[in-house]
């Protein structure tokens, strides 16, 4: 069985990422991209679905592990009866091909070691043809070819490539696994030591550009590094997570593919990047956004592939039992075809933030935004599936209407403050109409709180974002009442649920889920906004305590079992951490004018 979700660390090359367990096993890796079929899929089954473990013979979890300073180079150490050994794992930033480099280093004594490589392409479904070479193996299956260069002899049996060896103090034994499309020439061999130095230098130089100077520098730096690691360098797109189908409820069916780029992440991500000095990354994300949404505004999707691909057909991999038996395992995401009204506003808000930060508007970019506004003008009254992608009935979700308001508000600002061309008077009228309707139909005066959707008695953590986008100020009694109601009704053991899944059958799915970490970070910002800073800081510290030993956060957390849940590492959670830290440090929490 796979390790606990919180037992994994990430290494990556800005094209894809691998999850490395405390036991030295790589249980998840998709090649050549984040959204490619996995060649190591033990995460969603067992080792027969593919994994690569290097560890002392007979050993379990590493005694300790860490990233080497501010890098994405992972160091795991085992203290054994025979001595101490260190395993260094990393992926050099992508050059000619994808490489995973693993270096075994003797620290003390003489430690017997073992490497077990089980390659299975297409999510564990395809066994490759393996040939032995002078320095390792070549494995080919259809479009994929892999070369293993090992510093010790290897042998194959039972469809597994193994090496048993002993490492002495001061000795370094490298393993390099290289992937390339099978029709292309074999890549040049990678020098593991030179690659290690170059990878460390890359990450140290990158994080050295950050401008955060608040009270949580280590947590913010690590979150920024992990967020950068979720970036697909060729396009600037940022994936929501490196994995698919890690469950939101252990053993349950809420298992989704997050290896795509969500439009609604744009504003939050841009805030985190711009607020910490990463203007180039923000520009690349903005350009990805404009390319992805180009076309008929009616066809706008909530998510796209890494390169802007639209067709993300959802299917199930029935040969995989799922993480801890949580089935089905899904690839693709049917939510891409949902009507989620908030997305039009999210895109317009993200592009507004870019303008406000001095990232120049282009004529083509403004033309796209005007087309989005035209569509929004004719469709903002429609019910939708909401930002949580519910698979129940469409409803008039309050957050969705507020984001429609946000879109028109940003358009008015663009005309008034940036001198762009457009019917500001008409847009202002629509903006005011939406505002009046939300306050009339989406607010429960008896309870002094906004509600999840018109006529609902339920709440939604997304309501915490109303003051953040400038819909109402933090000191408005309706905002204070909403923050207090959410803190009371959606809190579970000190952390926040997105909503109550069982209430009114809102999402059309069985079972429940854990506390949603991004929402709890929103609560930190909301508490700070309404003047309860000490309470906000205490909650933030509790959230920091949920990170694993190397700073990773998944999508959710189960306070009952103390387990992380959902896909990992989760960009929404990492961005939430960075923005909450900035907010507590005095940065503005309002994105609007």
């Amino acid at each position: 069985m796979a390790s606990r979700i919180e037992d994994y660390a990430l290494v990556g090359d800005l094209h894809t990422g691998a999850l490395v367990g405390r036991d030295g096993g790589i249980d998840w890796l998709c090649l050549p991209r984040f959204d490619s079929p996995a060649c190591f899929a033990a995460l969603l089954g067992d080792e027969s679905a593919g994994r690569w473990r290097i560890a002392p013979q007979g050993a379990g979890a590493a005694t300790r592990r860490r990233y080497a300073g501010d890098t994405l180079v992972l160091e795991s150490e085992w203290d054994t009866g025979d001595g101490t050994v260190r395993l260094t794992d990393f992926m050099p930033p992508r050059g000619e091909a994808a490489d995973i480099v693993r270096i075994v280093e003797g620290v003390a004594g003489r430690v017997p070691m073992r490497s077990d490589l089980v390659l299975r392409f297409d999510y564990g479904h395809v066994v490759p043809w393996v040939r032995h070479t002078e320095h390792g193996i070549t494995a080919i299956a259809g479009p994929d070819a892999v070369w293993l260069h090992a510093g010790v002899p290897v042998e194959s049996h039972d469809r597994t490539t193994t090496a048993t060896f002993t490492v002495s103090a001061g000795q370094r034994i490298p393993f390099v696994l290289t992937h390339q499309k099978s029709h292309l020439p074999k890549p040049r061999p990678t020098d593991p030591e030179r690659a290690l130095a170059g990878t460390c230098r890359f990450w140290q130089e990158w994080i050295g550009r950050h401008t955060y100077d608040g009270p949580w520098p280590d947590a913010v730096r690590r979150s920024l590094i992990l967020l950068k690691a979720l970036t697909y360098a060729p396009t600037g797109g940022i994936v929501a997570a490196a994995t698919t189908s890690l469950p939101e409820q252990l053993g349950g069916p809420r298992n989704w593919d997050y290896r795509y780029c969500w439009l609604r992440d744009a504003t939050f991500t841009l805030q985190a990047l711009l607020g910490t000095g990463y203007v180039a990354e923000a520009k690349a994300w903005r350009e990805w956004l404009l390319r992805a949404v180009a076309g008929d505004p009616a066809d706008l999707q909530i998510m796209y592939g890494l390169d802007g691909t639209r067709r993300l057909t959802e299917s199930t991999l029935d040969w995989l039992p799922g993480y801890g038996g949580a089935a089905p395992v899904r690839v693709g995401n049917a939510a891409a075809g949902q009507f989620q009204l908030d997305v039009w506003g999210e895109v317009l808000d993200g592009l507004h933030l870019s303008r406000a930060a001095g990232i120049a508007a282009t004529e083509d970019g403004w033309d796209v935004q005007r087309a989005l506004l035209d569509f929004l003008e004719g469709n903002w009254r429609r019910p939708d599936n909401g930002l949580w992608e519910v698979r129940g009935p469409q409803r008039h979700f309050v957050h969705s209407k507020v984001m429609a308001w946000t879109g028109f508000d940003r358009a008015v600002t663009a005309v008034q403050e940036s001198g762009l061309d457009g019917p500001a008077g008409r847009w202002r009228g629509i903006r005011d109409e939406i505002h009046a309707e939300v306050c009339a139909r989406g607010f429960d005066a008896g309870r002094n709180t906004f509600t999840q959707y018109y006529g609902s008695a339920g709440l939604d953590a997304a309501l915490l974002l109303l003051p953040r986008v400038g819909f109402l100020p933090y000191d408005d009694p309706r905002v204070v009442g909403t923050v207090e109601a959410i803190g009371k009704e959606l809190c579970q053991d000190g952390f926040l649920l997105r909503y109550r899944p069982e209430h009114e059958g809102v999402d059309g799915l069985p079972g429940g889920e854990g506390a949603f970490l991004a929402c709890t970070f929103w609560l930190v910002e909301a508490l700070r906004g309404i003047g309860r800073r000490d309470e906000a800081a205490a909650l933030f510290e509790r959230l920091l305590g949920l990170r694993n030993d190397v700073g990773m956060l998944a999508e959710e957390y189960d306070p009952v079992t103390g387990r992380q849940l959902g896909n990992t590492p989760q960009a929404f959670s990492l961005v939430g951490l960075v923005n909450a830290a900035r907010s507590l440090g005095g940065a503005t929490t309002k994105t609007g004018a």
Side-chain angles (χ1 to χ4, degrees):
M1 178 180 172
S3 300
R4 299 180 306 171
I5 292 171
E6 59 270 23
D7 284 343
Y8 288 103
L10 178 76
V11 297
D13 64 356
L14 307 182
H15 286 239
T16 190
L19 292 188
V20 186
R22 290 176 184 268
D23 64 353
I26 299 177
D27 288 353
W28 182 255
L29 175 63
C30 301
L31 289 170
R33 310 191 330 176
F34 287 105
D35 57 354
S36 299
C39 63
F40 298 143
L43 181 70
L44 302 176
D46 57 30
E47 65 180 20
S48 66
R51 87 185 297 236
W52 183 14
R53 183 173 187 238
I54 299 179
Q57 293 185 32
T63 308
R64 56 193 164 271
R65 63 176 181 173
R66 60 186 175 272
Y67 285 113
D70 285 332
T71 74
L72 208 67
V73 175
L74 181 68
E75 297 178 341
S76 305
E77 295 182 352
W78 286 262
D79 294 331
T80 75
D82 298 295
T84 298
V85 65
R86 178 183 302 124
L87 174 64
T88 299
D89 288 317
F90 64 97
M91 296 184 73
R94 184 74 61 92
E96 182 183 4
D99 293 304
I100 303 176
V101 182
R102 317 193 76 182
I103 300 174
V104 179
E105 178 185 359
V107 177
R110 299 183 73 251
V111 182
M113 300 290 296
R114 182 179 180 94
S115 168
D116 289 292
L117 172 63
V118 181
L119 277 167
R120 297 292 184 269
F121 295 106
D122 193 20
Y123 303 101
H125 195 241
V126 176
V127 179
W129 175 43
V130 174
R131 292 177 297 163
H132 280 262
T133 66
E134 180 181 359
H135 300 292
I137 65 165
T138 298
I140 298 177
D144 297 295
V146 165
W147 292 265
L148 173 67
H149 293 266
V152 292
V154 301
E155 57 185 29
S156 296
H157 57 86
D158 295 332
R159 297 181 173 181
T160 300
T161 299
T162 64
T164 55
F165 57 98
T166 298
V167 61
S168 301
Q171 188 178 12
R172 293 170 69 86
I173 300 175
F175 295 78
V176 181
L177 191 73
T178 302
H179 174 273
Q180 182 63 286
K181 291 295 187 181
S182 59
H183 66 279
L184 295 177
K186 178 182 177 180
R188 288 166 294 183
T190 294
D191 182 312
E193 297 295 346
R194 183 177 298 175
L196 175 59
T199 303
C200 287
R201 185 168 56 251
F202 170 86
W203 287 107
Q204 289 163 352
E205 290 176 354
W206 185 85
I207 197 62
R209 292 162 39 206
H210 85 89
T211 58
Y212 175 79
D213 61 355
W216 297 280
D218 293 344
V220 169
R221 287 199 309 271
R222 178 50 53 189
S223 295
L224 288 169
I225 289 170
L226 291 169
L227 186 62
K228 175 67 172 177
L230 293 174
T231 302
Y232 183 62
T235 66
I238 300 174
V239 295
T243 58
T244 179
S245 299
L246 291 182
E248 296 170 4
Q249 179 185 40
L250 294 175
R254 297 170 182 261
N255 318 312
W256 317 110
D257 193 346
Y258 275 18
R259 297 171 298 158
Y260 307 113
C261 304
W262 264 253
L263 296 189
R264 76 168 44 88
D265 294 10
T267 303
F268 298 100
T269 304
L270 284 167
Q271 275 191 313
L273 292 173
L274 290 169
T276 52
Y278 290 102
V279 177
E281 284 75 10
K283 286 181 177 178
W285 179 225
R286 176 188 179 276
E287 292 306 311
W288 178 91
L289 188 65
L290 284 172
R291 291 193 303 271
V293 305
D296 188 341
D299 296 332
L300 188 69
Q301 297 182 181
I302 64 164
M303 72 182 85
Y304 294 84
L306 302 173
D307 54 3
T309 297
R310 291 171 177 260
R311 192 179 299 276
L312 306 177
T313 305
E314 185 175 303
S315 59
T316 60
L317 308 182
D318 297 330
W319 62 86
L320 288 174
Y323 178 86
V329 171
R330 293 180 172 94
V331 294
N333 200 312
Q338 288 186 350
F339 175 60
Q340 297 182 21
L341 178 67
D342 71 293
V343 170
W344 280 261
E346 303 280 5
V347 171
L348 293 162
D349 192 27
L351 295 174
H352 160 83
L353 183 63
S354 297
R355 282 193 300 274
I359 300 177
T362 63
E363 184 176 343
D364 289 344
W366 181 240
D367 287 344
V368 169
Q369 291 170 76
R370 290 205 51 173
L372 296 176
L373 288 158
D374 288 343
F375 177 85
L376 195 56
E377 182 174 351
N379 289 272
W380 70 265
R381 294 178 178 84
R382 291 172 55 187
D384 75 316
N385 296 95
L387 86 162
W388 302 128
E389 302 163 11
V390 300
R391 303 202 176 192
Q394 292 186 339
R395 307 175 191 267
H396 292 284
F397 287 99
V398 170
H399 173 263
S400 297
K401 303 299 186 191
V402 169
M403 291 313 301
W405 174 91
T406 301
F408 289 108
D409 179 75
R410 303 316 187 242
V412 171
T413 302
V415 174
Q416 292 179 339
E417 298 185 7
S418 299
L420 297 173
D421 180 56
R426 189 172 84 235
W427 290 337
R428 187 182 298 108
I430 299 169
R431 178 191 67 180
D432 294 346
E433 181 183 356
I434 298 172
H435 196 284
E437 180 181 292
V438 169
C439 291
R441 301 184 60 190
F443 182 73
D444 184 337
R447 296 162 61 207
N448 191 33
T449 182
F450 285 93
T451 60
Q452 186 173 35
Y453 53 87
Y454 292 173
S456 170
L459 299 179
D460 190 320
L463 299 170
L464 295 170
L465 302 176
L466 270 62
R468 200 175 192 272
V469 299
F471 184 80
L472 288 170
Y474 275 105
D475 60 3
D476 188 293
R478 291 167 293 183
V479 169
V480 176
T482 300
V483 174
E484 291 176 343
I486 287 172
K488 180 180 178 181
E489 296 186 27
L490 294 186
C491 250
Q492 180 172 306
D493 295 317
F495 303 100
L496 211 61
L497 301 172
R498 293 187 290 184
Y499 53 88
R500 293 284 179 183
E502 70 278 7
H503 184 72
E504 301 171 350
V506 64
D507 64 14
L509 293 167
E513 61 179 25
F516 202 82
L517 297 179
C519 293
T520 313
F521 283 116
W522 296 347
L523 181 58
V524 170
E525 293 193 64
L527 289 169
R528 182 257 184 183
I530 65 172
R532 291 157 59 175
R533 192 188 186 286
D534 290 346
E535 189 176 343
L539 177 57
F540 185 72
E541 292 285 357
R542 290 203 301 275
L543 282 162
L544 292 184
L546 302 185
R547 298 173 302 148
N548 72 358
D549 57 322
V550 290
M552 294 259 288
L553 280 174
E555 179 184 30
E556 300 184 0
Y557 176 73
D558 181 1
V560 177
T561 62
R563 295 282 303 276
Q564 290 192 24
L565 299 173
N567 288 302
T568 195
Q570 179 82 359
F572 222 17
S573 300
L574 299 168
V575 166
L577 186 155
V578 173
N579 286 334
R582 293 180 57 248
S583 174
L584 286 172
T588 181
T589 58
K590 177 183 172 183
T591 64

